[in-house]
Amino acid sequence: MAKYRAGIIGLGWMGFLYAIADRYRSTPGFTPMKSNKDATGPGQYSTDDVDRPTPRLDVHRTFHYHDHPGLENSAQTHSEALWDRPEVDLVAGAERDQKRLKAFGERYGIETLYTDAVEMLRQEKLDIVTISTNVSGRAYLTCIAVECGAKAIMTDYPMAHTLQECDRMVNTCAEAGVPLSVGALIGNHPAFAKAKELVQGHAIGDVVSMEAPRPESMVMYFVDGAPAWVAGTGDRPPSVSGKDRFDGQGMMVSTKGEVVHFRTGAPHLRITGTSGEMLFYHRTNGWQLWQDIDTLAGRRRVEMPWPAPLLIEGSRTIYMLQDILDCLDGRLDEPKLSGRRTAMAIEVDVALKQSSSSGGERVELPLKDRSLGLSYDWFR
């Protein structure tokens, strides 16, 4: 019998549609289908896709990838990831679009379908709730889910628009002891836990500094202290899609003296130590480990084999869920990309923008004005 009852709020792309649309037609058992040429915008598809052939329902259950990290490319959506786990019983879904709701029910054999998410939360007594709505509803629904007894919550990235909303989500979950995981992002992969293990084991000596293109929860996973102050410069105007995240050069210093540099063109993450370095390059070769060793030519910094598990692109959602289950079962204190770390990244982002707009002045954290926040791409 399953240990946890789960439900999904929002049957859009991350919640459900990627499981049946032709975005991932390379999935084993997937019947190719024609793209809808009427759909517009980056990565957008029409809900007409739900009428077309879909992968057979046992595709992912033929092999549990969460037991074998490094052999990825399985469940991409919240619904497929939840359905895949024997200890989870996917029992309900909420979505205002009746067509998506009907397709979801037919695919998973679920009859408890709702057009009102709050009604679902109050009626179903769910242990795990995933929230894949647009950004504006995530803070409210997260807090209602906790109020209704949810034991764990997964939501999409970004978690909220304002610092106040982030505070509400993080504090509500913390007070109830509910793990909150934010975003099906690459930082959920077990290779990142291995990277942190290497850092904490002094595989590269004492950490001197870190470097990344921008503030993200993936970076904050390796920062032990809270952000203390930032300085930034060169922020660019918002993009045509509406996104106004910090896009310049900057630095953050934590309460424990940790230093993170943000630089356009930097590796996705570089951690430099007194006797080595670790680098992560997204969508190329994953993690690299360099260590200072004695050679016949003297002491040299040499690339070493990365220990298992190796990082392979894909399957971020199953590892997001894995963190949640590990928290529920007492194997993990906090998801790698937790709400707390994501909120820290958002606040650093906002503070860097403030610093840049004031000529690079140092900005102390936490920020006093919690109504400040960020705008994101229109399709978020």
Side-chain angles (χ1 to χ4, degrees):
M1 178 180 291
K3 293 171 62 176
Y4 305 110
R5 288 169 52 84
I8 298 176
I9 301 174
L11 300 176
W13 290 105
M14 279 308 303
F16 171 57
L17 292 183
Y18 281 152
I20 63 172
D22 84 331
R23 203 107 190 255
Y24 293 96
R25 55 179 176 271
S26 60
T27 304
F30 196 101
T31 303
M33 46 184 136
K34 185 178 180 182
S35 296
N36 189 314
K37 298 184 183 299
D38 294 329
T40 59
Q44 302 304 298
Y45 292 80
S46 166
T47 52
D48 288 346
D49 288 326
V50 303
D51 291 333
R52 296 175 179 169
T54 65
R56 66 178 193 271
L57 195 51
D58 66 346
V59 165
H60 306 306
R61 285 196 173 184
T62 58
F63 187 82
H64 289 285
Y65 291 84
H66 53 270
D67 289 333
H68 305 275
L71 299 173
E72 283 82 357
N73 290 315
S74 62
Q76 300 292 337
T77 64
H78 291 189
S79 55
E80 294 283 287
L82 290 167
W83 186 88
D84 177 57
R85 299 303 296 257
E87 61 268 69
V88 177
D89 189 6
L90 179 57
V91 298
E95 167 62 54
R96 287 175 293 185
D97 187 306
Q98 295 279 4
K99 193 173 186 180
R100 296 180 188 181
L101 198 61
K102 180 175 181 291
F104 171 81
E106 290 175 351
R107 178 162 176 76
Y108 301 107
I110 295 173
E111 296 181 355
T112 45
L113 306 173
Y114 294 83
T115 54
D116 185 328
V118 175
E119 182 185 359
M120 181 186 79
L121 292 172
R122 289 175 174 161
Q123 292 292 329
E124 297 300 327
K125 309 301 180 186
L126 301 169
D127 300 306
I128 299 174
V129 175
T130 74
I131 301 169
S132 50
T133 61
N134 59 34
V135 178
S136 61
R138 291 173 193 166
Y140 170 74
L141 290 169
T142 294
C143 296
I144 289 292
V146 173
E147 179 186 308
C148 292
K151 298 176 181 176
I153 297 173
M154 291 166 40
T155 190
D156 281 341
Y157 181 87
M159 63 190 287
H161 282 293
T162 68
L163 301 181
Q164 187 176 45
E165 289 175 312
C166 291
D167 292 342
R168 185 179 172 205
M169 295 170 76
V170 171
N171 294 338
T172 298
C173 289
E175 289 169 5
V178 173
L180 171 63
S181 186
V182 181
L185 306 170
I186 198 67
N188 290 301
H189 194 280
F192 279 78
K194 174 57 69 175
K196 188 163 185 177
E197 178 185 320
L198 291 171
V199 169
Q200 293 175 332
H202 298 279
I204 58 173
D206 296 328
V207 174
V208 176
S209 66
M210 288 179 268
E211 184 182 29
R214 61 187 59 85
E216 292 183 339
S217 53
M218 177 179 75
V219 179
M220 297 303 169
Y221 177 55
F222 294 91
V223 176
D224 292 329
W229 62 269
V230 306
T233 187
D235 188 26
R236 298 179 184 178
S239 68
V240 293
S241 65
K243 181 173 63 176
D244 71 344
R245 294 185 60 191
F246 178 71
D247 188 10
Q249 322 293 326
M251 182 175 76
M252 181 206 84
V253 177
S254 82
T255 53
K256 293 191 175 181
E258 299 154 304
V259 179
V260 183
H261 300 273
F262 302 107
R263 177 178 66 82
T264 301
H268 282 82
L269 182 58
R270 183 199 305 267
I271 305 174
T272 301
T274 54
S275 60
E277 194 167 62
M278 290 167 49
L279 294 94
F280 171 66
Y281 292 94
H282 194 190
R283 299 185 185 278
T284 54
N285 49 2
W287 280 101
Q288 294 179 4
L289 171 63
W290 296 75
Q291 293 178 315
D292 294 345
I293 64 172
D294 293 323
T295 71
L296 294 176
R299 195 159 181 81
R300 296 287 187 270
R301 185 158 290 186
V302 178
E303 184 175 4
M304 308 297 286
W306 183 264
L310 300 176
L311 186 146
I312 296 178
E313 181 68 23
S315 304
R316 306 165 180 187
T317 314
I318 63 171
Y319 293 123
M320 181 186 185
L321 175 59
Q322 184 65 60
D323 275 8
I324 285 292
L325 293 174
D326 284 344
C327 288
L328 288 174
D329 293 343
R331 296 186 294 269
L332 188 66
D333 293 333
E334 179 182 17
K336 290 188 285 297
L337 306 187
S338 65
R340 181 183 69 86
R341 292 184 176 117
T342 304
M344 285 169 51
I346 292 173
E347 183 163 8
V348 169
D349 206 324
V350 172
L352 284 167
K353 291 181 70 65
Q354 279 198 334
S355 175
S356 182
S357 66
S358 62
E361 291 184 358
R362 170 168 160 164
V363 174
E364 304 290 332
L365 298 173
L367 294 171
K368 293 181 180 179
D369 186 354
R370 308 309 286 179
S371 68
L372 295 172
L374 299 170
S375 297
Y376 304 106
D377 293 314
W378 61 269
F379 50 85
R380 292 286 190 180

PDB file of all heavy atoms in Angstrom, residues 95-112:
ATOM      1  N   GLU A  95      -7.588  21.557 -11.952  1.00  0.00           N
ATOM      2  CA  GLU A  95      -7.259  22.344 -13.152  1.00  0.00           C
ATOM      3  C   GLU A  95      -8.532  22.990 -13.666  1.00  0.00           C
ATOM      4  O   GLU A  95      -9.582  22.340 -13.737  1.00  0.00           O
ATOM      5  CB  GLU A  95      -6.642  21.439 -14.219  1.00  0.00           C
ATOM      6  CG  GLU A  95      -6.535  22.013 -15.602  1.00  0.00           C
ATOM      7  CD  GLU A  95      -5.661  23.247 -15.687  1.00  0.00           C
ATOM      8  OE1 GLU A  95      -4.502  23.174 -15.251  1.00  0.00           O
ATOM      9  OE2 GLU A  95      -6.169  24.271 -16.181  1.00  0.00           O
ATOM     10  N   ARG A  96      -8.472  24.279 -14.038  1.00  0.00           N
ATOM     11  CA  ARG A  96      -9.653  24.968 -14.536  1.00  0.00           C
ATOM     12  C   ARG A  96      -9.979  24.581 -15.973  1.00  0.00           C
ATOM     13  O   ARG A  96     -11.129  24.665 -16.388  1.00  0.00           O
ATOM     14  CB  ARG A  96      -9.453  26.479 -14.420  1.00  0.00           C
ATOM     15  CG  ARG A  96      -9.531  26.985 -12.985  1.00  0.00           C
ATOM     16  CD  ARG A  96      -9.225  28.453 -12.865  1.00  0.00           C
ATOM     17  NE  ARG A  96      -7.834  28.735 -13.192  1.00  0.00           N
ATOM     18  CZ  ARG A  96      -7.272  29.935 -13.070  1.00  0.00           C
ATOM     19  NH1 ARG A  96      -7.981  30.956 -12.635  1.00  0.00           N
ATOM     20  NH2 ARG A  96      -6.001  30.110 -13.374  1.00  0.00           N
ATOM     21  N   ASP A  97      -8.973  24.135 -16.724  1.00  0.00           N
ATOM     22  CA  ASP A  97      -9.195  23.725 -18.106  1.00  0.00           C
ATOM     23  C   ASP A  97      -9.789  22.310 -18.129  1.00  0.00           C
ATOM     24  O   ASP A  97      -9.121  21.336 -17.795  1.00  0.00           O
ATOM     25  CB  ASP A  97      -7.867  23.758 -18.866  1.00  0.00           C
ATOM     26  CG  ASP A  97      -8.026  23.513 -20.356  1.00  0.00           C
ATOM     27  OD1 ASP A  97      -8.635  22.490 -20.718  1.00  0.00           O
ATOM     28  OD2 ASP A  97      -7.522  24.327 -21.155  1.00  0.00           O
ATOM     29  N   GLN A  98     -11.043  22.198 -18.517  1.00  0.00           N
ATOM     30  CA  GLN A  98     -11.747  20.908 -18.471  1.00  0.00           C
ATOM     31  C   GLN A  98     -11.122  19.869 -19.397  1.00  0.00           C
ATOM     32  O   GLN A  98     -11.143  18.669 -19.100  1.00  0.00           O
ATOM     33  CB  GLN A  98     -13.218  21.125 -18.859  1.00  0.00           C
ATOM     34  CG  GLN A  98     -14.010  21.979 -17.882  1.00  0.00           C
ATOM     35  CD  GLN A  98     -14.485  21.199 -16.664  1.00  0.00           C
ATOM     36  OE1 GLN A  98     -14.172  20.021 -16.497  1.00  0.00           O
ATOM     37  NE2 GLN A  98     -15.240  21.849 -15.806  1.00  0.00           N
ATOM     38  N   LYS A  99     -10.571  20.322 -20.498  1.00  0.00           N
ATOM     39  CA  LYS A  99      -9.970  19.392 -21.452  1.00  0.00           C
ATOM     40  C   LYS A  99      -8.728  18.714 -20.854  1.00  0.00           C
ATOM     41  O   LYS A  99      -8.548  17.503 -20.959  1.00  0.00           O
ATOM     42  CB  LYS A  99      -9.601  20.156 -22.727  1.00  0.00           C
ATOM     43  CG  LYS A  99      -9.258  19.279 -23.909  1.00  0.00           C
ATOM     44  CD  LYS A  99      -9.079  20.164 -25.144  1.00  0.00           C
ATOM     45  CE  LYS A  99      -8.880  19.313 -26.382  1.00  0.00           C
ATOM     46  NZ  LYS A  99      -8.703  20.169 -27.586  1.00  0.00           N
ATOM     47  N   ARG A 100      -7.891  19.508 -20.228  1.00  0.00           N
ATOM     48  CA  ARG A 100      -6.702  18.943 -19.576  1.00  0.00           C
ATOM     49  C   ARG A 100      -7.121  18.023 -18.421  1.00  0.00           C
ATOM     50  O   ARG A 100      -6.530  16.957 -18.215  1.00  0.00           O
ATOM     51  CB  ARG A 100      -5.821  20.060 -19.035  1.00  0.00           C
ATOM     52  CG  ARG A 100      -5.239  20.973 -20.081  1.00  0.00           C
ATOM     53  CD  ARG A 100      -4.371  22.041 -19.424  1.00  0.00           C
ATOM     54  NE  ARG A 100      -3.944  23.056 -20.374  1.00  0.00           N
ATOM     55  CZ  ARG A 100      -3.171  24.085 -20.054  1.00  0.00           C
ATOM     56  NH1 ARG A 100      -2.759  24.235 -18.810  1.00  0.00           N
ATOM     57  NH2 ARG A 100      -2.825  24.964 -20.975  1.00  0.00           N
ATOM     58  N   LEU A 101      -8.113  18.459 -17.665  1.00  0.00           N
ATOM     59  CA  LEU A 101      -8.567  17.681 -16.516  1.00  0.00           C
ATOM     60  C   LEU A 101      -9.075  16.316 -16.951  1.00  0.00           C
ATOM     61  O   LEU A 101      -8.758  15.282 -16.330  1.00  0.00           O
ATOM     62  CB  LEU A 101      -9.660  18.461 -15.793  1.00  0.00           C
ATOM     63  CG  LEU A 101      -9.996  18.062 -14.359  1.00  0.00           C
ATOM     64  CD1 LEU A 101      -8.788  18.229 -13.456  1.00  0.00           C
ATOM     65  CD2 LEU A 101     -11.151  18.910 -13.834  1.00  0.00           C
ATOM     66  N   LYS A 102      -9.831  16.300 -18.024  1.00  0.00           N
ATOM     67  CA  LYS A 102     -10.366  15.047 -18.544  1.00  0.00           C
ATOM     68  C   LYS A 102      -9.240  14.125 -19.024  1.00  0.00           C
ATOM     69  O   LYS A 102      -9.230  12.918 -18.737  1.00  0.00           O
ATOM     70  CB  LYS A 102     -11.332  15.326 -19.692  1.00  0.00           C
ATOM     71  CG  LYS A 102     -11.970  14.090 -20.332  1.00  0.00           C
ATOM     72  CD  LYS A 102     -13.005  14.530 -21.375  1.00  0.00           C
ATOM     73  CE  LYS A 102     -13.684  13.328 -22.029  1.00  0.00           C
ATOM     74  NZ  LYS A 102     -12.748  12.569 -22.897  1.00  0.00           N
ATOM     75  N   ALA A 103      -8.259  14.690 -19.750  1.00  0.00           N
ATOM     76  CA  ALA A 103      -7.144  13.894 -20.253  1.00  0.00           C
ATOM     77  C   ALA A 103      -6.315  13.318 -19.104  1.00  0.00           C
ATOM     78  O   ALA A 103      -5.873  12.169 -19.143  1.00  0.00           O
ATOM     79  CB  ALA A 103      -6.269  14.739 -21.170  1.00  0.00           C
ATOM     80  N   PHE A 104      -6.102  14.124 -18.061  1.00  0.00           N
ATOM     81  CA  PHE A 104      -5.364  13.673 -16.879  1.00  0.00           C
ATOM     82  C   PHE A 104      -6.078  12.502 -16.214  1.00  0.00           C
ATOM     83  O   PHE A 104      -5.470  11.474 -15.877  1.00  0.00           O
ATOM     84  CB  PHE A 104      -5.231  14.849 -15.909  1.00  0.00           C
ATOM     85  CG  PHE A 104      -4.685  14.495 -14.552  1.00  0.00           C
ATOM     86  CD1 PHE A 104      -3.322  14.345 -14.350  1.00  0.00           C
ATOM     87  CD2 PHE A 104      -5.544  14.328 -13.466  1.00  0.00           C
ATOM     88  CE1 PHE A 104      -2.824  14.036 -13.092  1.00  0.00           C
ATOM     89  CE2 PHE A 104      -5.054  14.020 -12.211  1.00  0.00           C
ATOM     90  CZ  PHE A 104      -3.690  13.875 -12.026  1.00  0.00           C
ATOM     91  N   GLY A 105      -7.383  12.636 -16.026  1.00  0.00           N
ATOM     92  CA  GLY A 105      -8.158  11.566 -15.399  1.00  0.00           C
ATOM     93  C   GLY A 105      -8.122  10.288 -16.194  1.00  0.00           C
ATOM     94  O   GLY A 105      -7.986   9.181 -15.637  1.00  0.00           O
ATOM     95  N   GLU A 106      -8.214  10.396 -17.514  1.00  0.00           N
ATOM     96  CA  GLU A 106      -8.199   9.206 -18.367  1.00  0.00           C
ATOM     97  C   GLU A 106      -6.829   8.536 -18.357  1.00  0.00           C
ATOM     98  O   GLU A 106      -6.732   7.307 -18.327  1.00  0.00           O
ATOM     99  CB  GLU A 106      -8.592   9.588 -19.790  1.00  0.00           C
ATOM    100  CG  GLU A 106     -10.063   9.973 -19.931  1.00  0.00           C
ATOM    101  CD  GLU A 106     -10.402  10.459 -21.329  1.00  0.00           C
ATOM    102  OE1 GLU A 106      -9.451  10.665 -22.137  1.00  0.00           O
ATOM    103  OE2 GLU A 106     -11.606  10.636 -21.611  1.00  0.00           O
ATOM    104  N   ARG A 107      -5.776   9.329 -18.386  1.00  0.00           N
ATOM    105  CA  ARG A 107      -4.425   8.748 -18.447  1.00  0.00           C
ATOM    106  C   ARG A 107      -4.088   7.962 -17.185  1.00  0.00           C
ATOM    107  O   ARG A 107      -3.500   6.884 -17.245  1.00  0.00           O
ATOM    108  CB  ARG A 107      -3.387   9.835 -18.679  1.00  0.00           C
ATOM    109  CG  ARG A 107      -1.947   9.301 -18.701  1.00  0.00           C
ATOM    110  CD  ARG A 107      -0.988  10.252 -19.351  1.00  0.00           C
ATOM    111  NE  ARG A 107       0.388   9.776 -19.293  1.00  0.00           N
ATOM    112  CZ  ARG A 107       0.906   8.826 -20.053  1.00  0.00           C
ATOM    113  NH1 ARG A 107       0.158   8.222 -20.955  1.00  0.00           N
ATOM    114  NH2 ARG A 107       2.165   8.461 -19.933  1.00  0.00           N
ATOM    115  N   TYR A 108      -4.466   8.489 -16.023  1.00  0.00           N
ATOM    116  CA  TYR A 108      -4.060   7.852 -14.765  1.00  0.00           C
ATOM    117  C   TYR A 108      -5.205   7.127 -14.056  1.00  0.00           C
ATOM    118  O   TYR A 108      -5.005   6.603 -12.961  1.00  0.00           O
ATOM    119  CB  TYR A 108      -3.452   8.904 -13.826  1.00  0.00           C
ATOM    120  CG  TYR A 108      -2.256   9.580 -14.435  1.00  0.00           C
ATOM    121  CD1 TYR A 108      -2.331  10.887 -14.895  1.00  0.00           C
ATOM    122  CD2 TYR A 108      -1.046   8.899 -14.591  1.00  0.00           C
ATOM    123  CE1 TYR A 108      -1.242  11.508 -15.483  1.00  0.00           C
ATOM    124  CE2 TYR A 108       0.045   9.508 -15.180  1.00  0.00           C
ATOM    125  CZ  TYR A 108      -0.056  10.811 -15.631  1.00  0.00           C
ATOM    126  OH  TYR A 108       1.031  11.413 -16.220  1.00  0.00           O
ATOM    127  N   GLY A 109      -6.360   7.089 -14.674  1.00  0.00           N
ATOM    128  CA  GLY A 109      -7.484   6.389 -14.061  1.00  0.00           C
ATOM    129  C   GLY A 109      -7.962   7.055 -12.794  1.00  0.00           C
ATOM    130  O   GLY A 109      -8.360   6.381 -11.830  1.00  0.00           O
ATOM    131  N   ILE A 110      -7.947   8.393 -12.764  1.00  0.00           N
ATOM    132  CA  ILE A 110      -8.321   9.152 -11.570  1.00  0.00           C
ATOM    133  C   ILE A 110      -9.680   9.813 -11.780  1.00  0.00           C
ATOM    134  O   ILE A 110      -9.903  10.487 -12.780  1.00  0.00           O
ATOM    135  CB  ILE A 110      -7.254  10.222 -11.249  1.00  0.00           C
ATOM    136  CG1 ILE A 110      -5.939   9.529 -10.877  1.00  0.00           C
ATOM    137  CG2 ILE A 110      -7.717  11.142 -10.123  1.00  0.00           C
ATOM    138  CD1 ILE A 110      -4.778  10.478 -10.716  1.00  0.00           C
ATOM    139  N   GLU A 111     -10.565   9.622 -10.825  1.00  0.00           N
ATOM    140  CA  GLU A 111     -11.909  10.196 -10.928  1.00  0.00           C
ATOM    141  C   GLU A 111     -12.104  11.398 -10.019  1.00  0.00           C
ATOM    142  O   GLU A 111     -13.073  12.144 -10.178  1.00  0.00           O
ATOM    143  CB  GLU A 111     -12.952   9.123 -10.596  1.00  0.00           C
ATOM    144  CG  GLU A 111     -12.950   7.961 -11.591  1.00  0.00           C
ATOM    145  CD  GLU A 111     -14.002   6.921 -11.261  1.00  0.00           C
ATOM    146  OE1 GLU A 111     -14.662   7.066 -10.199  1.00  0.00           O
ATOM    147  OE2 GLU A 111     -14.168   5.964 -12.040  1.00  0.00           O
ATOM    148  N   THR A 112     -11.214  11.585  -9.061  1.00  0.00           N
ATOM    149  CA  THR A 112     -11.341  12.727  -8.151  1.00  0.00           C
ATOM    150  C   THR A 112     -10.666  13.935  -8.799  1.00  0.00           C
ATOM    151  O   THR A 112      -9.493  14.214  -8.572  1.00  0.00           O
ATOM    152  CB  THR A 112     -10.698  12.410  -6.792  1.00  0.00           C
ATOM    153  OG1 THR A 112      -9.418  11.779  -7.000  1.00  0.00           O
ATOM    154  CG2 THR A 112     -11.580  11.502  -5.984  1.00  0.00           C
TER     155      THR A 112
END
